[in-house]
Amino acid sequence: MRLGVLEGRAVVVRGDRAADVATASRGLLPADPMALLEDWPRVRDWATELSEDAYDLAVDPAALGAPVPRPRQVFAVALNYPPHAAEAGYTPPEEPLVFTKFPACITGPHTTVALPEGRVDWEVELVAVIGRETYRVSEDRAWDAVAGLAIGQDLSERVSQLRGKPAQFSLGKSFPGFGPIGPALVTPDEFDDPDDLEITGLLNGKAVQHDRTKSMIFPVPELIARLSAVLPLYPGDLIFTGTPAGVGNRMDPPRYLTADDELVSRIEGIGEIRQRFTAPKNSEPRGSRTTAP
């Protein structure tokens, strides 16, 4: 099942067609995707019975919105791929390094992002979406808590991110538009192996990041088990699971996003999201040269 959002309404997507959930269910299910996630097992079972006639909407990928537009909690994980930890000058962590992206930064899969002052970097990531309230779940049961997977970009303004001691990870990664996700929420049963997906980031058509999610130090089930050992996870919560090597601030010389750049993020079995960028009001970067994971 692939859950998308068109004009603010939840739809089940199949190829280039979609079924409006509220219409196809004759009002038994809500149009609001956040409300659907509160009753996810029922929604998933209902979708398996959809007839071909229900898919009566044409889907323009550029029109899709964020499949989870208003998450309560957004977790993110740093240095979760060994090559990225190495390029950042760190040894692989023994515990997940967790921060948050504030929910106001979440946006849809095809967007134009106004660059703030500073140095904005890219980080393609697999995003796990929680589908039921989960607390202290074991790792071997953790996939049961996942509604689906999406693609995300953990866009990062490196100057604000590293300002002060300790650094301001969450602020530097939460400017407007800095959390695009999509193009749809894809249920784990759609994949041959949801723990092993090809992940690629392209800048102006050139691959800058590439790996497989099986390379993660802490895979999705372990992240869910570790997070839920501390606090409850709720339907619609997002987990940005970390980025592969190839971020711009570790290039020589560093490369940051500029006006008219196009960033494409792809994950096997999910699709792609696409961002373009416009110039900040003041294009002079603030602060000194910085590096960050």
Side-chain angles (χ1 to χ4, degrees), residues 6-248:
L6 279 174
E7 298 181 352
R9 295 175 64 87
V11 294
V12 178
V13 179
R14 180 179 293 176
D16 61 354
R17 309 294 295 178
D20 183 279
V21 172
T23 301
S25 69
R26 295 183 173 86
L28 295 177
L29 295 172
D32 181 3
M34 301 308 300
L36 286 181
L37 286 162
E38 295 285 348
D39 194 14
W40 187 248
R42 181 184 175 208
V43 175
R44 187 184 55 216
D45 292 344
W46 167 82
T48 63
E49 304 297 327
L50 269 178
S51 68
E52 289 294 332
D53 293 342
Y55 294 89
D56 57 358
L57 300 174
V59 176
D60 176 0
L64 289 169
V68 185
R70 301 183 308 279
R72 277 183 275 192
Q73 302 183 109
V74 182
F75 302 92
V77 182
L79 305 179
N80 201 20
Y81 288 76
H84 177 51
E87 74 175 353
Y90 295 91
T91 57
E94 296 182 1
E95 301 282 338
L97 303 176
V98 180
F99 58 96
T100 187
K101 289 173 74 73
F102 294 111
C105 77
I106 299 301
T107 188
H110 290 78
T111 56
T112 299
V113 180
L115 293 168
E117 293 182 357
R119 300 180 174 93
V120 180
D121 207 345
W122 57 83
E123 296 189 8
V124 59
E125 307 206 5
L126 177 72
V127 177
V129 182
I130 300 299
R132 69 178 191 190
E133 186 169 341
T134 302
Y135 187 48
R136 295 180 176 174
V137 70
S138 63
E139 189 175 334
D140 64 339
R141 298 294 303 274
W143 271 115
D144 295 339
V146 176
L149 301 174
I151 306 166
Q153 261 291 337
D154 177 22
L155 294 171
S156 307
E157 198 287 288
R158 300 301 192 188
V159 176
S160 357
Q161 178 186 344
L162 288 191
R163 182 176 291 120
K165 294 184 180 297
Q168 299 278 1
F169 264 55
S170 297
L171 288 179
K173 292 168 174 279
S174 296
F175 285 86
F178 270 34
I181 61 170
L185 182 160
V186 183
T187 53
D189 61 292
E190 292 283 328
F191 305 97
D192 292 335
D193 182 355
D195 284 307
D196 182 16
L197 305 173
E198 185 179 32
I199 179 169
T200 306
L202 301 100
L203 179 62
N204 301 326
K206 178 182 178 181
V208 289
Q209 293 185 275
H210 182 260
D211 209 325
R212 298 192 71 86
T213 59
K214 68 178 180 180
S215 299
M216 288 195 287
I217 301 166
F218 308 104
V220 170
E222 185 173 358
L223 290 174
I224 292 172
R226 286 176 176 266
L227 289 170
S228 71
V230 177
L231 76 168
L233 307 179
Y234 298 106
D237 284 357
L238 305 179
I239 304 173
F240 282 71
T241 59
T243 197
V247 297

